Amino acid sequence: GIESLFNDAEKGDFYKRAFVTMAEPERIIAFRVQWMDDQGNLQMNRGWRVEFNSALGPYKGGLRFHPTVDDGLLKFLGFEQIFKNALT
């Protein structure tokens, strides 16, 4: 597993630092947008943006507006995106 990387005598500390840096986003922006529907009712939607490491340039990603979204799901999607971008 991943422990074998951390126990590597030559690069174990490097891998630990890299993992810690990647695992936690630099910032999470949560906001709300209020709007009036066609019936004149005030509605509210929450929006989220999770920004991971910017060491290699500007953040990639976008905004999410959905009632089932929370910060945990967005952290996962952003973390997954790190590897997608690294492999393309």
Side-chain angles (χ1 to χ4, degrees), residues 5 19 22 28 33 44 48 58-59 62 68-69 71 83-84 88:
L5 290 175
F19 182 77
M22 289 186 318
I28 300 173
V33 177
M44 185 191 66
W48 302 82
Y59 296 108
T68 62
V69 172
D71 61 340
F83 294 103
K84 178 183 172 217
T88 58

Side-chain angles (χ1 to χ4, degrees), residues 5-70:
L5 290 175
F6 296 162
N7 293 331
D8 182 280
E10 189 174 320
K11 294 195 175 194
D13 287 337
F14 170 78
Y15 290 134
K16 283 180 190 177
R17 288 192 312 271
F19 182 77
V20 168
T21 300
M22 289 186 318
E24 185 68 28
E26 284 184 12
R27 82 187 86 190
I28 300 173
I29 301 168
F31 56 95
R32 67 174 185 240
V33 177
Q34 294 180 345
W35 52 280
M36 193 78 64
D37 66 18
D38 292 339
Q39 289 72 39
N41 300 316
L42 186 62
Q43 301 289 331
M44 185 191 66
N45 288 85
R46 290 191 55 87
W48 302 82
R49 180 173 171 87
V50 176
E51 298 175 341
F52 279 84
N53 194 311
S54 63
L56 297 177
Y59 296 108
K60 300 275 188 192
L63 305 173
R64 296 275 193 251
F65 294 97
H66 197 275
T68 62
V69 172
D70 63 12

